[in-house]
Amino acid sequence: KAGVTQTPRYLIKTRGQQVTLSCSPISGHRSVSWYQQTPGQGLQFLFEYFSETQRNKGNFPGRFSGRQFSNSRSEMNVSTLELGDSALYLCASSLTEGASSYEQYFGPGTRLTVT
Amino acid sequence: GDSVTQMEGPVTLSEEAFLTINCTYTATGYPSLFWYVQYPGEGLQLLLKATKADDKGSNKGFEATYRKETTSFHLEKGSVQVSDSAVYFCALSAKGYQKVTFGTGTKLQVIP
């Protein structure tokens, strides 16, 4: 089975711009979660989608949003970029039905640099 | 709420040394426990897991035992290699909740 894929892998944007990141989960996985990883804050949960619905949300401003499509692929959008948004954005997918535990499978991440 | 506490890093060891990375947790009920590993420039990979008390998860020479009495899930390896250099994250998922809580990560550096 193919793993979780994220595109693009690297991105450079300017302050004030907006950006869209994409994530394709493992085939059969319907839950997709997003995380922001920075040296200072570590791994922070952004949100989780299941069957096109946001099921959990972390403590991030409204500039961070996401969505999930009927094929379980997910996108996250960050508007009005700030320098502090520079980070590695990780996507993870999970098998929920029939799973004995909720383990997540991560993609390689998108490295976003805001200048 | 749920939380995971890991020992501060970085941890520097010589090749073939014994490794222990401490992890304790706070959660309601009986969570599932995980160790993830992140190699430089990559995403996180699931290393091992345990879903109930006294379970031992193991993979690639790493082991961790679910200790409910001490709410701990310490990661151990008998003989580390340079290729084990990475950041290790302890995590939990409370039963019935599709959400994972991660620790802050512990960086391991193994020198030849």
Side-chain angles (χ1 to χ4, degrees):
Chain A
K1 254 185 194 177
V4 177
T5 58
Q6 291 187 244
T7 57
R9 291 293 312 275
Y10 302 92
L11 206 48
I12 299 175
K13 289 286 189 178
T14 303
R15 253 185 319 177
Q17 289 185 313
Q18 68 105 27
V19 67
T20 299
L21 312 182
S22 180
C23 171
S24 293
I26 291 172
S27 177
H29 286 194
R30 294 170 61 192
S31 169
V32 174
S33 297
W34 289 90
Y35 295 85
Q36 181 195 65
Q37 187 177 30
T38 59
Q41 299 296 319
L43 197 63
Q44 295 189 89
F45 172 74
L46 279 155
F47 27 66
E48 185 234 354
Y49 286 87
F50 177 78
S51 291
E52 302 178 65
T53 301
Q54 188 181 88
R55 192 161 60 174
N56 290 298
K57 189 176 189 306
N59 189 26
F60 276 81
R63 299 185 297 108
F64 292 81
S65 63
R67 60 177 175 169
Q68 187 180 35
F69 302 94
S70 58
N71 62 358
S72 294
R73 190 177 70 85
S74 177
E75 289 181 347
M76 68 162 280
N77 184 278
V78 187
S79 62
T80 320
L81 283 165
E82 300 177 359
L83 294 179
D85 297 333
S86 295
L88 181 67
Y89 289 88
L90 293 166
C91 166
S93 73
S94 297
L95 179 66
T96 50
E97 286 83 7
S100 63
S101 62
Y102 190 67
E103 62 249 39
Q104 298 191 311
Y105 296 84
F106 283 80
T110 294
R111 172 74 63 185
L112 172 65
T113 302
V114 182
T115 62
Chain B
D2 298 342
S3 67
V4 176
T5 303
Q6 289 182 236
M7 62 188 289
E8 292 277 336
V11 174
T12 301
L13 295 173
S14 297
E15 207 165 20
E16 298 184 3
F18 184 87
L19 168 72
T20 299
I21 300 179
N22 290 338
C23 170
T24 57
Y25 67 90
T26 302
T28 53
Y30 302 89
S32 295
L33 302 174
F34 311 94
W35 277 100
Y36 286 83
V37 58
Q38 185 177 33
Y39 298 102
E42 299 182 11
L44 278 69
Q45 300 175 26
L46 179 64
L47 181 60
L48 53 83
K49 69 176 184 181
T51 58
K52 61 183 187 296
D54 300 324
D55 264 4
K56 177 185 281 188
S58 62
N59 186 24
K60 299 181 182 179
F62 291 90
E63 292 183 340
T65 301
Y66 189 142
R67 302 284 189 202
K68 181 160 174 51
E69 63 278 10
T70 55
T71 61
S72 65
F73 193 54
H74 305 322
L75 182 68
E76 296 182 336
K77 187 176 185 183
S79 176
V80 294
Q81 305 300 312
V82 172
S83 57
D84 294 327
S85 298
V87 180
Y88 292 82
F89 292 88
C90 186
L92 70 83
S93 175
K95 293 284 195 304
Y97 291 91
Q98 275 74 36
K99 183 182 173 184
V100 180
T101 300
F102 286 88
T104 54
T106 301
K107 183 175 182 178
L108 169 66
Q109 182 179 13
V110 181
I111 54 178

